[in-house]
Amino acid sequence: MDPELFNTIVKRDILPGQYLELFNYGEPFLHPKLVEFCKTLQDKNVDTLISTNCSVGHDKLKGVLYNENVRLLACLESLDPVVYQRITGGRLDKVLQFIELARRYARFDDQVTILVVETQLNRGHSEEIREEYEDEFLVVRRLADSFGGNIPDSIVFDGEGDNPVQRVPCAFPFVNCAVDWDGKVGWCCYDYNTPKPYGDLNHQSLKEIWEGPVWTNLRRLHLSLNLDGTICKRCSSGWRDVLYERDLYYRLVDEDEKNYYYYTEDK
């Protein structure tokens, strides 16, 4: 993202104390101004999560973690170099070097989390990663979904299936949106390359987009589970363990929570 556009968005649309993620389908550490972006967000007291594949940007890591508002989500799919390359196409040794630097530069205990996205290709590898790193980092395992239909079903791992699953309203349109590098706004990070933008921060404020008719209608579609014609129709994120998602759904539409999620029935 162009630094001028980034600064405009932060100044106009982001409030102190809010939460921002730098990730999407790109690699944040490739951006030459990442350290400066983190400093800008720190100055405005914006909590920031950076998701990274840990394969590049080793020279920026110290400057990024120097900001106490920044937390790092380091993705690590396997400690087996063959499996890791098969999943990501990258080199495991580069990733392990990155994680070792993160261990050295982290300023507080929970600044760095290791995320293991479990698929059919690395099933069971999360336990080895947890044993290796749990003394230094929080290690989180997440089952892969289809990323808006962009990941083949043969790779997606739906877990052990001990509990019933059914489609439920996805939380994404109620709590966040995705902003692409050029300021175009998509439904979420699964809206790959934002082929059909639903807003443009070059010409609109985030508040205008978030409270506008397009986003309001998407929330209604999710609550009614009528997702025909949307990218959400192909996404497996809405098919979840009922015991987990039912609780999330009730919190999502509870009267006390509606203002927090910027949603009301009459919009």
Side-chain angles (χ1 to χ4, degrees):
M1 178 176 284
D2 178 78
E4 184 176 351
L5 176 59
F6 178 84
N7 289 328
T8 296
I9 294 172
V10 172
K11 181 178 180 180
R12 181 190 63 201
D13 298 317
I14 309 299
L15 299 176
Q18 285 190 323
Y19 171 76
L20 185 71
E21 296 184 20
L22 301 177
F23 66 112
N24 211 337
Y25 279 86
E27 168 54 62
F29 278 86
L30 286 173
H31 201 293
K33 298 293 185 181
L34 179 62
V35 175
E36 288 87 338
F37 285 180
C38 291
K39 179 63 166 56
T40 298
L41 294 169
Q42 168 90 2
D43 290 344
K44 197 165 183 179
N45 191 31
V46 175
D47 290 329
T48 306
L49 176 70
I50 300 178
S51 176
T52 176
N53 290 322
C54 308
S55 56
V56 297
H58 297 56
D59 57 325
K60 300 185 183 75
L61 189 55
K62 183 176 182 179
V64 167
L65 293 179
Y66 180 79
N67 299 281
E68 293 186 351
N69 70 313
V70 169
R71 282 172 169 76
L72 194 69
L73 190 64
C75 299
L76 177 61
E77 280 69 28
S78 176
L79 293 176
D80 183 324
V82 176
V83 174
Y84 182 84
Q85 185 177 40
R86 184 182 179 192
I87 295 174
T88 69
R91 288 172 46 186
L92 180 61
D93 61 320
K94 290 284 189 182
V95 174
L96 298 183
Q97 290 171 14
F98 188 100
I99 293 175
E100 180 58 36
L101 289 173
R103 190 202 313 259
R104 183 187 310 172
Y105 296 137
R107 303 190 68 188
F108 48 90
D109 288 343
D110 61 345
Q111 192 172 18
V112 179
T113 296
I114 293 180
L115 172 66
V116 186
V117 178
E118 191 156 322
T119 72
Q120 297 286 6
L121 303 178
N122 65 337
R123 184 172 185 173
H125 288 228
S126 59
E127 288 307 311
E128 182 183 7
I129 295 172
R130 188 184 305 278
E131 292 175 4
E132 177 69 25
Y133 290 109
E134 64 180 352
D135 290 341
E136 290 83 18
F137 305 118
L138 176 65
V139 179
V140 177
R141 167 182 175 258
R142 194 192 82 189
L143 302 183
D145 54 42
S146 68
F147 281 77
N150 292 301
I151 304 298
D153 290 340
S154 59
I155 295 178
V156 172
F157 175 42
D158 290 327
E160 291 75 17
D162 293 334
N163 295 314
V165 292
Q166 66 184 46
R167 180 168 285 283
V168 296
C170 180
F172 283 179
F174 295 87
V175 297
N176 60 31
C177 63
V179 180
D180 219 334
W181 64 272
D182 56 358
K184 301 296 194 305
V185 177
W187 290 147
C188 70
C189 61
Y190 294 175
D191 196 3
Y192 187 58
N193 279 338
T194 320
K196 183 181 178 182
Y198 299 99
D200 187 345
L201 292 180
N202 291 281
H203 310 293
Q204 302 166 275
S205 71
L206 184 58
K207 180 179 175 64
E208 290 172 332
I209 297 170
W210 187 256
E211 297 181 350
V214 176
W215 278 87
T216 300
N217 184 58
L218 178 66
R219 297 182 191 109
R220 286 176 172 158
L221 292 177
H222 270 274
L223 290 175
S224 67
L225 302 181
N226 177 20
L227 301 174
D228 292 341
T230 71
I231 185 178
C232 310
K233 180 71 173 180
R234 308 193 314 273
C235 184
S236 66
S237 184
W239 293 94
R240 289 299 197 198
D241 184 314
V242 172
L243 300 180
Y244 166 77
E245 288 285 1
R246 182 182 294 147
D247 176 61
L248 175 64
Y249 170 74
Y250 286 147
R251 285 188 287 114
L252 194 66
V253 298
D254 186 83
E255 288 291 338
D256 293 335
E257 297 284 345
K258 282 184 178 179
N259 288 335
Y260 176 77
Y261 288 112
Y262 298 93
Y263 177 80
T264 57
E265 290 287 356
D266 59 318
K267 281 189 177 181

